[in-house]
Amino acid sequence: MPRFEVFCPAAPPALAADVTLRIEAEHWLAALKAGLLKVGGPQPAAHVLCDVQADGSIHVSDPRGGGVFRIQELGAERAAEVVPAAAAPGRIGGPPRPPSAEDVLA
């Protein structure tokens, strides 16, 4: 299962400080949702803006809260200390993994 690094910006009062988590999940969206469940942060709105960066990271802007979440799939060398998405309460299920940014941009 792929591993992701998820940056969640502070969103007081629910999330008082910026948090970066390492999550194991089926795809980047499941990693974002599992990370937010883990820290007790607000779930993103139903409609968000996603920007795929040149380095392969995904920046997700939540127009409702104004935060920008950053999700990066980790390579094997950076994947230590990963929290499985199943460990987060209310595990998020979902469709099969969507195409990667490289597949979409090719």
Side-chain angles (χ1 to χ4, degrees):
M1 188 173 299
R3 297 172 178 148
F4 298 89
E5 186 172 82
V6 179
F7 170 80
C8 301
L15 188 57
D18 293 347
V19 176
T20 301
L21 300 168
R22 292 185 177 182
I23 305 283
E24 189 172 277
E26 294 177 20
H27 50 79
W28 68 268
L29 186 55
L32 174 61
K33 290 180 178 181
L36 289 171
L37 281 172
K38 180 99 175 133
V39 298
Q43 291 296 303
H47 301 284
V48 294
L49 303 170
C50 299
D51 186 19
V52 178
Q53 303 295 304
D55 66 356
S57 66
I58 301 169
H59 292 198
V60 178
S61 301
D62 184 353
R64 180 183 63 194
V68 178
F69 304 94
R70 291 189 302 269
I71 302 100
Q72 174 75 47
E73 188 167 358
L74 298 175
E77 67 281 355
R78 293 187 55 207
E81 299 179 26
V82 173
V83 177
R91 170 146 165 49
I92 305 297
R97 183 175 177 186
S100 70
E102 294 161 340
D103 294 335
V104 172
L105 296 175

